[in-house]
Amino acid sequence: VRGTISPGVAPGDVSRIALQSASISLEHEARVEIDIAGVLPAAHDRITGNGGLGLDGTLRVRFADGYTPAATDRYEIVRATSVDGAFAALDVAPAGPIGDVGPAHVVYTGDAAVLVLCAADRDGDGELTIFDFLEFQNRFDAGDARADLDGDGRLTLFDFLFFQNRFDAGCE
């Protein structure tokens, strides 16, 4: 897929796309548009099913119907038999407390992709522990752009300080 996938189609509509024993591979030009109107699965767009999904391209997230997320919210936006790759870019509409605890990021588990609002919760489990630091450090050491928390396009000491400040502040 090189185009746009939008489960809800119209802005603010919430729906899901079901993979029925099919595999989809997203090209770098692809865009997945997700609308979120709440934490419950029925309140946000999702891609689910028993097929495989190869990720790339841009994930674009918008908060719908006046919904303001909490800093600790997590949204499973993809669940499939296998999820390979990662979104190359993430575009999340600024909303409420995201600026205080973000930037938001996506955690990949092999069969899911979960949008996590708290920048310090690197493993996406909802708790801040040493495992979040280890996840950040491993990404930083590997030169992974997802460790660029200050968004300047470079991995520097300032990314460590950004992580430490967000971790110390918690996800509240």
Side-chain angles (χ1 to χ4, degrees):
V1 175
R2 290 187 182 133
T4 299
I5 296 176
S6 183
V9 184
D13 284 349
V14 173
S15 188
R16 87 180 164 100
I17 292 176
L19 303 173
Q20 300 298 329
S21 300
S23 293
I24 295 176
S25 181
L26 302 178
E27 300 279 332
H28 191 69
E29 301 84 10
R31 185 170 70 193
V32 175
E33 295 181 346
I34 300 292
D35 292 318
I36 298 175
V39 172
L40 297 175
H44 60 84
D45 291 342
R46 297 170 292 136
I47 299 172
T48 64
N50 58 4
L53 186 60
L55 299 177
D56 199 350
T58 299
L59 172 62
R60 183 175 185 226
V61 177
R62 296 293 177 254
F63 297 98
D65 300 330
Y67 172 69
T68 300
T72 55
D73 287 350
R74 299 176 305 135
Y75 310 90
E76 185 177 274
I77 54 172
V78 174
R79 169 70 66 180
T81 302
S82 66
V83 176
D84 297 315
F87 291 107
L90 177 60
D91 175 12
V92 178
I98 293 175
D100 297 337
V101 299
H105 62 286
V106 179
V107 174
Y108 304 93
T109 65
D111 64 353
V114 179
L115 178 70
V116 178
L117 299 187
C118 179
D121 186 7
R122 301 312 295 175
D123 60 8
D125 68 355
E127 297 180 40
L128 297 183
T129 66
I130 186 67
F131 298 109
D132 295 298
F133 173 74
L134 294 173
E135 179 69 23
F136 170 75
Q137 184 177 15
N138 288 338
R139 294 220 178 267
F140 187 92
D141 290 346
D144 190 325
R146 289 176 279 179
D148 179 20
L149 297 184
D150 65 3
D152 68 355
R154 299 174 298 147
L155 298 179
T156 65
L157 172 65
F158 295 108
D159 296 301
F160 267 96
L161 294 174
F162 190 101
F163 174 82
Q164 182 179 4
N165 288 336
R166 292 294 198 244
F167 189 92
D168 288 347
C171 292
E172 301 298 323

